[in-house]
Amino acid sequence: MKIGILISGRGSNTVALADAVASGEIPGSEVAVVISDQPSAAGLEKAAERGIETLVIEKAGRKRADHDAEIVAALTERGVELVCLAGYMRLLSPEFVRSFPNRIVNIHPSLLPSFPGLNVQQQAIDHGVKFSGCTVHFVNEDLDAGPIILQRVVEVKDDDTADTLASRILEEEHGAYIEAVRRVVSGRLLVEGRRAIYSSE
Ligand code: GRF
């Protein structure tokens, strides 16, 4: 299964996925392309160092649907079947989502449905929750709302700042994303309504 990764920044999840694919941890997969909407995204260089094709497709004053159509075309030309959002800071248009039904996944640094959107580590601290974590989910037309593939939990400590909590969550993100993509690629993950159900052999 050819994977396309969309990023806007640092790219640590991209590195985790690319290295897992290269080491055979996600059997039957290949990272075909990494696309950024930001030319300065650090993840581009990390992908290129690993021999992966990189593209910058900026929005540049266009409508979201037009920008997305160019990205969808680039993915389709390369035979991409699974799109992984990894710190991609734009909402996808309905047309983009419909082009890859149940074939777009995202990682989010909270335990959804708590704290969708942005600055979620600070929101978790401000709310006083004792546990947070990360969620890998399918992308549908609503923000951070598609069927959940898997979640990992981390403790929120009394002296946490948004940064310390974000780094503790990030440590769990990489393994969670690898395992979630492995499940999707395996073909043993079925979506039934709101639920994504995995049958391990
Ligand atoms: C991660 O915290 C991810 O959960 C969120 O954006 C961040 C991306 O980090 N969606 P990186 O670019 O993969 O290092």
Side-chain angles (χ1 to χ4, degrees), residues 114-125:
S114 289
F115 314 123
L118 296 174
N119 302 321
V120 299
Q121 297 89 352
Q122 189 62 53
Q123 287 187 54
I125 290 169

Side-chain angles (χ1 to χ4, degrees), residues 31-127:
V31 180
V33 65
V34 171
I35 301 176
S36 173
D37 64 325
Q38 301 291 332
S40 59
L44 286 169
E45 200 177 315
K46 295 174 190 162
E49 279 166 7
R50 287 165 172 77
I52 299 168
E53 183 190 5
T54 61
L55 293 174
V56 175
I57 304 181
E58 288 181 86
K59 186 158 175 291
R62 288 179 293 175
K63 287 189 181 143
R64 183 171 62 172
D66 296 334
H67 181 229
D68 279 5
E70 188 180 342
I71 297 173
V72 169
L75 294 167
T76 311
E77 275 165 27
R78 288 161 181 80
V80 167
E81 294 165 277
L82 176 64
V83 181
C84 295
L85 308 183
Y88 184 65
M89 299 305 287
R90 288 184 184 283
L91 278 180
L92 302 189
S93 58
E95 293 81 4
F96 192 146
V97 173
R98 284 184 218 127
S99 300
F100 292 94
N102 288 333
R103 282 290 173 270
I104 308 173
V105 294
N106 180 45
I107 186 153
H108 180 80
S110 78
L111 295 176
L112 292 170
S114 289
F115 314 123
L118 296 174
N119 302 321
V120 299
Q121 297 89 352
Q122 189 62 53
Q123 287 187 54
I125 290 169
D126 292 345
H127 196 93

Side-chain angles (χ1 to χ4, degrees), residues 7-15 43 46 85-89 106-110 121 134-135 166 169-170 173-174 177:
I7 64 170
S8 299
R10 180 177 55 189
S12 71
N13 281 287
T14 300
V15 166
K46 295 174 190 162
L85 308 183
Y88 184 65
M89 299 305 287
N106 180 45
I107 186 153
H108 180 80
S110 78
Q121 297 89 352
C134 61
T135 303
I169 293 172
L170 192 67
E173 286 189 33
H174 299 155
Y177 216 167

